């Protein structure tokens, strides 16, 4: 028994030293949970919520509130859940494609205290031929306060169909919403940044 136990402990310690093991475990759990326990399909225009809890693994140097980088990581799980519950993942994956996050911006309004329950609300707010734009809100359950808002640009890759085609297959006849003013500015910023970098390259 001892001859197996100590090498196993060493392997686990090495894995934790080299990889963010908890992240991969949670990804596996999130995706498996949706496959094992299906939920009612939601419309692609719906706001989809997942819930979280700020632990000591999430805090920054002051050990009082969530590290800024953790907000970005939590969005992975919010997107996974949104894709599965709306059917986007099935349509894109069935055609050999995937969705790549190509831009994100976070506006922090107030810190997320440690040992706080929160939800992340994810909603599709606009799309163009190549990408879908999601808005995420981090909301504390105790006071329903929006602690942070996030824009993320999800680009469809490996597909021979536009974002319009993907959305129309999932929700035929859905009308494209008008881009909010703040999102329009953000899209222009991304385009300007891309153009600037192309000149440098």
């Amino acid at each position: 028994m001892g001859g197996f136990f100590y090498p196993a402990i060493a392997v686990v310690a090495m894995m934790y030293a080299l990889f963010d093991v908890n992240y991969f475990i949670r990804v596996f759990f999130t995706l498996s949970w949706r496959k094992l326990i299906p939920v009612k399909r939601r419309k692609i225009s719906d706001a989809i919520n997942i819930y979280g809890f700020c632990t000591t693994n999430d805090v920054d140097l002051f050990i009082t509130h969530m590290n800024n980088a953790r907000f970005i990581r939590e969005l992975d799980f919010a997107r996974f859940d949104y894709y599965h519950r709306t059917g986007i993942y099935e349509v894109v994956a069935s055609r050999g494609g995937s969705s790549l996050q190509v831009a994100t911006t976070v506006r922090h309004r107030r810190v997320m205290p440690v040992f706080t329950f929160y939800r992340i609300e994810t909603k599709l707010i606009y799309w163009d031929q190549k990408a879908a734009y999601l808005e995420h809100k981090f909301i504390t359950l105790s006071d329903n306060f929006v602690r942070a808002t996030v824009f993320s640009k999800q680009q469809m890759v490996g597909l021979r169909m536009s974002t319009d085609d993907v959305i129309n297959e999932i929700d035929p006849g859905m009308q494209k919403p008008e881009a909010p003013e703040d999102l329009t500015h953000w899209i222009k910023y991304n385009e300007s940044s891309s153009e600037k970098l192309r000149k440098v390259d």
Side-chain angles (χ1 to χ4, degrees), residues 20-28 70 73 76-77 80:
D20 188 349
V21 176
N22 291 336
Y23 171 81
F24 291 104
I25 291 175
R26 189 171 168 194
V27 168
F28 175 79
R70 286 289 182 173
R73 196 179 83 152
D76 281 354
F77 307 108
F80 294 155

Side-chain angles (χ1 to χ4, degrees), residues 110-113 116-119 138-147:
R110 192 178 294 175
V111 299
M112 180 73 72
T116 299
F117 286 99
Y118 61 89
R119 63 185 170 92
F138 286 79
I139 305 170
T140 40
L141 300 187
S142 59
D143 55 9
N144 207 39
F145 187 83
V146 179
R147 301 277 167 164

Side-chain angles (χ1 to χ4, degrees), residues 159-173:
L159 294 176
R160 294 184 177 180
M161 57 192 305
S162 67
T163 311
D164 279 317
D165 295 330
V166 172
I167 292 175
N168 187 62
E169 182 166 334
I170 298 169
D171 193 352

Side-chain angles (χ1 to χ4, degrees), residues 71-98:
F71 284 85
I72 300 297
R73 196 179 83 152
E74 288 301 307
L75 294 183
D76 281 354
F77 307 108
R79 283 193 303 275
F80 294 155
D81 189 67
Y82 177 82
Y83 291 155
H84 278 278
R85 296 180 69 177
T86 58
I88 293 178
Y89 175 80
E90 293 177 10
V91 172
V92 174
S94 66
R95 288 162 174 75
S98 62

